[in-house]
Amino acid sequence: MSTASELRSLVKQLQQSSATEQDLVAILEKLKAETKITESILRESKAGLAVGKLRTHASKPVSELAKEVVKKWKQLVELEKQNNATNKPTPAGSSKPLPLRKHSTASITPSTPTTPGGTPTMSASSSKSDVRTAKSDGVKTNLTGDTTRDKCMELIYDALAFDSGSPSDQILGRAKGIEAAVLAEFDGVTAAYKAKIRSLFVNLKDKNNPGLRESVVSGDLPVQRLAKMSSQEMASEERKAADNKIIQQNLFNTLGAEEVQAETDAFQCGRCKQVGLRHHSVSTWN
């Protein structure tokens, strides 16, 4: 397998709703064994997004294998970029190469830093250097003429890009769309507009919620719908489950407290004068 069309056929198999856990593992094993992976092939085939989404699959074998595939691909793409930088000078004015993803849903960080020739170095690189931002990508967000709007657009870009392998122009397009949708939703640069941007930034950059980022960057989740979603709706399944557990526990505690209050205030024991329904059996009450 060495072309995008061949890779696409496997991607289609991954996305079939009828694919079983065994099917997914078998396909991911084939993808993991492939060594002729380049950034252009991944972009054209959209394999990065397809495999990245499987990192949150309910099946642990599938999710773990998907993480391994993404990690390996990131290493291959990194090596490709390093070799290109060594063999071919970057023309003046050209865009910066995209930093690679730090985490694993669509991500890919080499576990060991390498030199331009591919030789492992002795010291680990700082994880902060792998985080993408508008500044590190060389992306200009001063597009509206309004300083506040431009800053908000930059925040959304940073949230979407920080562990993404997608092209910067694609991410910028989503960031622009999100900012414009929020602006329309709240009728201008209001306090509610700013609060919504902050909420989006926090939820989109949540490292435990890669699925939200990827669905926005890929276009699966329309920016107009995102602008109307609450923090609870944007939360990861893990966080939703944790929040629901807290709600249920609070409800239990509240009901328990009310039950005790009802018992203690209702009656007084005729013999010992203590208050409480369960102090004695019903037959002892005078």
Side-chain angles (χ1 to χ4, degrees), residues 4 27 38 41 55 61 73 94 106 119 123-124 127 134 153 223 245 285:
I27 297 169
T38 65
I41 288 177
R55 290 178 297 175
W73 284 355
S94 64
T119 305
S123 60
S127 60
M153 193 186 306
V223 295
K245 185 176 181 181
W285 296 100

Side-chain angles (χ1 to χ4, degrees), residues 62-167:
V62 173
S63 63
E64 292 299 318
L65 187 53
K67 291 175 184 178
E68 293 176 13
V69 173
V70 170
K71 182 177 180 180
K72 179 180 178 182
W73 284 355
K74 187 171 184 180
Q75 291 173 328
L76 291 173
V77 172
E78 174 71 10
L79 185 58
E80 176 196 8
K81 289 183 177 182
Q82 290 173 343
N83 288 337
N84 289 341
T86 301
N87 300 327
K88 183 179 179 180
T90 303
S94 64
S95 60
K96 297 180 181 179
L98 297 178
L100 292 175
R101 301 183 67 144
K102 175 184 174 185
H103 301 292
S104 55
T105 111
S107 66
I108 333 176
T109 298
S111 56
T112 305
T114 58
T115 63
T119 305
T121 61
M122 295 302 293
S123 60
S125 60
S126 168
S127 60
K128 291 184 179 180
S129 64
D130 293 330
V131 176
R132 288 180 65 182
T133 64
K135 290 181 180 179
S136 69
D137 284 359
V139 171
K140 303 298 182 183
T141 56
N142 53 335
L143 305 174
T144 68
D146 184 298
T147 304
T148 301
R149 289 187 61 193
D150 290 342
K151 183 61 180 176
C152 288
M153 193 186 306
E154 182 178 342
L155 284 174
I156 298 300
Y157 182 99
D158 291 349
L160 292 174
F162 91 103
D163 68 346
S164 178
S166 298

Side-chain angles (χ1 to χ4, degrees), residues 268-279:
Q268 184 180 51
C269 176
R271 265 193 295 169
C272 67
K273 305 302 181 183
Q274 290 190 17
V275 176
L277 281 173
R278 295 180 184 174
H279 181 64

Side-chain angles (χ1 to χ4, degrees), residues 218-236:
S218 67
D220 291 343
L221 177 59
V223 295
Q224 291 79 8
R225 181 184 169 195
L226 178 71
K228 298 176 182 292
M229 292 173 68
S230 66
S231 293
Q232 290 73 22
E233 291 172 323
M234 289 186 282
S236 65

